[in-house]
Amino acid sequence: MRSAPTILHLDMDAFYASAEQAAKPSLRGKAVVVGGLGPRGVVATASYEARRFGVHSAMPMGQARRLAPNAAYLVPRFGLYREISEQVMGLLRELSPLVEPLSLDEAFVDLEAGGVADDEASARAVGERLRADIKAVTGLTGSVGLAASKMLAKIASEEAKPDGLRLIAPGTERALLGPMSVRTLPGVGPATGDHLRRAGITTVEEIAEAGEDELVRLLGKAHGGSLYAMALAHDERPVVAERDTKSVSVEDTYDVDIHDRVRVRGEVARLADRCVQRLRAAGHSGRTIVLKVRRFDFSTLTRSETLRGPTDDPGVVREAAARLLESVDTTGGVRLLGVAVTGLADYTQEDLFAQAQAAAEAEVPVEADAGPESGGEAGGASLGEPEEVGAEEPAAPVERRWVAGHDVRHAEYGHGWVQGSGLGRVTVRFETPGSEPGRVRTFRTDDPLLAPAEPLPLVERAPCAVEPLAAVVEVSSPSGGGAVAGVGEAVEGAGSG
C-alpha cells in the first residue's frame, strides 16, 4: 500500500443520460432513461431524476416504464458517447502514462507515475482541476476518488457522487470500511452477499473479525483469501495502462422470439459481419469463432470452432458461424443470438481459400436485376438476352425509421432530435445544446426535407483550448518547496418529469 493517496478513480455521473440532457435543453432537470426500448430492452443509464423513482441500470425497461411513466426514454447514441470519452481520456493521459480505462466513462490513473502528485494536498488539487477541465471540455460532470489503492479510490468516487471529490487519507481506511456493507467490496455480488449473510456476516468489519480461515471455509481459498485481504484494506493491484482484449463479440436480443430458421441464419450472418467490423477496428484477428444462442425457454447454448490460424475475413467468420448454427436446435424459438471471436492476435494468417472464393465471386457477371444494393448498374447486361421491361412490379419504397433521441436536420427548421415516431409520422424537437428548449413539429416519415444528422458538440469549441492540466500543476517537493497552481421507438413523456 502507498503512503499517499495518488491513485485516482474517475467515474462520469450518469454518463449516457447526462450527455443526452446536455444535448437536449428540454430534458435538463427531467427524468431521462437511456437503453433498449423494446419489450426485452434493459436500462443502460438513468439520470439522477429518474433514479428518484427507483430506476437503475440493468433494470428491465418495462419495469422502468412502470416506475417512471413520464420519463423520456431514448435509444443510446454510442458515437457521441465515444467522442466524449476520448476527450475525457485525453485529459487523464495528460496527467500520467498509466491510465487504465474500465469503460467509456470510468478509469484509474496513477498520479505518482505521472509526477503530478506525491501527497494529499497535491493529489486533491489535481483532482479538483481535473473535474473543472472535464466540465469545461465536455459540459458534463465526473466524480473523483483518491486513495492509496484502486479498491479504495473506486469506493471514494462512489461516495463522492454526483459531481464531487472524496479523498481517503492513508491510515483511515479500516475505520472507513468497517461499517460498510459487504457488498461494497469488489467481487461480492448478490450470491456471495447472501452466503455471507446466512453466516451472520453483513459488514466489512465482520469479515475482518471472522478471520481468513473462516472466509476460506465459506468461499474457497482464492475468493475467501482475497476478500479477507480487502476487508483489511490491503490491495496491491497496480494501475495497468494496457489491458489485453480477450475477445470481440456482438449479440442481439429480439423483441419477439424468432422461429423462422431462414431468418435465424440471416441474423447470424449479420452478427458475424458486425463482429468482424469490431475486430478490424480494434486491429485484431482471431482463431476461435463462438456462437451463442438463447432459446425461448431461456436455456443458453454456446458452440465454438477453432480455425487453423487467425483471421479477420468476414466470409470465413460467417461460414464458421453458420456451421455452428447447424448443431443447434432452434425450432422452439430464439430470443438472443451472438457471435464472438476469441484467441485474438495482432496479425492475420492469409486464408487462401477465402481469397480464391472472393476472386471467383468478383468474376461473376452482374445480373439483369442487380440494383444499387448489389453493386451493379440498373438495367445491367444479361449476357445477350434483352431486358424484359415491366416484368416485375417496382418495389415499394421502404419507410425510413427514425430512432428516438437521435439527431436529425430539417432543411427549413435546422437541427433537432427525434422525440417519437409511428403511423407514418415523426415528431421532432428543434433545439441544440446551446439553445433554449425548442419547439416540437411533426412530419411525414418520408419528408424529403428531413434527414439524419451527426450529433452536435455539447460545448462550443473555443478558439484557444483549455490549458493542459499537467502544465499548471507543480508538485511540492519532499522538502516542502513548490506550490500547486491553477486549481480551480417513442419518447414517452419527453419534456415532462
Side-chain angles (χ1 to χ4, degrees):
M1 289 276 290
R2 303 184 180 197
S3 59
T6 53
I7 292 182
L8 180 149
H9 181 261
L10 171 72
D11 196 357
M12 299 295 288
D13 300 323
F15 183 45
Y16 298 171
S18 294
E20 298 298 343
Q21 288 176 318
K24 302 171 172 63
S26 59
L27 298 184
R28 293 171 191 170
K30 308 295 177 62
V32 175
V33 181
V34 180
L37 301 189
R40 292 174 179 167
V42 297
V43 175
T45 307
S47 70
Y48 287 99
E49 296 84 359
R51 295 181 190 188
R52 298 192 188 105
F53 296 97
V55 180
H56 57 78
S57 60
M59 171 182 285
M61 191 60 77
Q63 183 180 355
R65 290 179 186 275
R66 290 191 293 273
L67 292 172
N70 294 321
Y73 290 86
L74 307 175
V75 175
R77 296 187 295 164
F78 289 110
L80 172 65
Y81 310 149
R82 290 190 188 97
E83 181 180 343
I84 300 170
S85 176
E86 289 170 4
Q87 294 174 325
V88 173
M89 297 302 166
L91 292 173
L92 298 183
R93 292 187 179 98
E94 291 176 2
L95 297 177
S96 172
L98 293 184
V99 176
E100 182 178 340
L102 304 179
S103 62
L104 289 177
D105 63 332
E106 185 180 2
F108 287 109
V109 185
D110 188 333
L111 301 180
E112 186 177 290
V116 295
D118 63 0
D119 59 14
E120 290 184 29
S122 57
R124 183 182 296 277
V126 169
E128 293 290 4
R129 176 67 186 182
L130 173 64
R131 292 176 55 234
D133 283 353
I134 289 173
K135 179 68 174 180
V137 171
T138 70
L140 306 180
T141 63
S143 296
V144 168
L146 292 158
S149 70
K150 291 169 72 173
M151 177 189 74
L152 290 165
K154 185 173 174 64
I155 290 173
S157 69
E158 188 64 33
E159 290 205 326
K161 283 187 167 293
D163 191 20
L165 181 147
R166 175 73 191 273
L167 184 148
I168 299 177
T172 66
E173 297 94 345
R174 287 287 303 275
L176 173 75
L177 287 175
M180 291 184 174
S181 165
V182 295
R183 292 289 303 276
T184 304
L185 299 179
V188 181
T192 302
D194 287 345
H195 195 52
L196 291 171
R197 181 182 53 79
R198 287 193 293 271
I201 299 173
T202 59
T203 67
V204 175
E205 183 60 34
E206 288 170 345
I207 290 179
E209 292 173 351
E212 185 172 8
D213 290 343
E214 178 66 8
L215 267 294
V216 169
R217 185 186 69 80
L218 288 171
L219 304 174
K221 185 174 183 179
H223 196 186
S226 65
L227 200 60
Y228 178 71
M230 286 188 289
L232 299 180
H234 295 164
D235 179 18
E236 301 295 339
R237 294 174 299 160
V239 177
V240 181
E242 298 294 335
R243 299 165 64 91
D244 292 335
T245 302
K246 297 181 179 179
S247 66
V248 174
S249 64
V250 296
E251 63 181 43
D252 277 346
T253 300
Y254 304 99
D255 295 342
V256 179
D257 292 345
I258 302 175
H259 294 83
D260 183 357
R261 183 74 174 184
V262 174
R263 187 186 167 195
V264 172
R265 292 193 190 100
E267 290 294 315
V268 169
R270 184 178 61 82
L271 290 168
D273 288 342
R274 282 173 51 197
C275 187
V276 169
Q277 289 175 2
R278 291 191 181 182
L279 190 70
R280 289 180 169 179
H284 292 304
S285 59
R287 291 189 62 200
T288 302
I289 315 303
V290 180
L291 175 71
K292 177 180 177 181
V293 180
R294 181 167 296 150
R295 299 189 291 190
F296 69 100
D297 58 356
F298 286 88
S299 61
T300 302
L301 304 175
T302 58
R303 300 288 186 268
S304 65
E305 176 181 323
T306 300
L307 308 175
R308 294 191 304 273
T311 185
D312 64 354
D313 187 288
V316 174
V317 176
R318 276 197 305 269
E319 291 175 6
R323 286 193 296 271
L324 295 171
L325 179 62
E326 294 306 312
S327 64
V328 178
D329 179 13
T330 62
T331 53
V334 170
R335 62 184 290 114
L336 178 146
L337 291 168
V339 174
V341 178
T342 66
L344 302 187
D346 294 328
Y347 66 93
T348 301
Q349 179 173 307
E350 300 297 344
D351 190 310
L352 299 181
F353 175 76
Q355 288 184 351
Q357 183 183 40
E361 290 174 351
E363 295 176 0
V364 175
V366 178
E367 295 183 359
D369 61 352
E373 292 199 7
S374 59
E377 297 180 4
S382 58
L383 298 180
E385 295 182 7
E387 181 180 356
E388 187 175 347
V389 180
E392 295 184 4
E393 290 293 328
V398 178
E399 182 177 327
R400 288 189 291 177
R401 181 170 176 265
W402 302 99
V403 182
H406 283 216
D407 296 82
V408 294
R409 176 166 289 278
H410 192 275
E412 181 179 353
Y413 301 110
H415 193 94
W417 57 278
V418 176
Q419 188 164 300
S421 64
L423 301 177
R425 295 288 186 269
V426 55
T427 300
V428 177
R429 186 182 288 273
F430 290 97
E431 59 187 6
T432 65
S435 73
E436 295 296 320
R439 182 175 175 179
V440 175
R441 298 179 183 273
T442 300
F443 309 91
R444 292 174 56 90
T445 55
D446 60 355
D447 190 321
L449 300 182
L450 190 66
E454 292 297 319
L456 296 177
L458 301 186
V459 176
E460 288 292 333
R461 300 289 187 258
C464 57
V466 174
E467 186 177 3
L469 193 154
V472 298
V473 175
E474 182 182 343
V475 181
S476 58
S477 65
S479 61
V484 179
V487 177
E489 331 303 275
V491 181
E492 297 188 6
S496 60

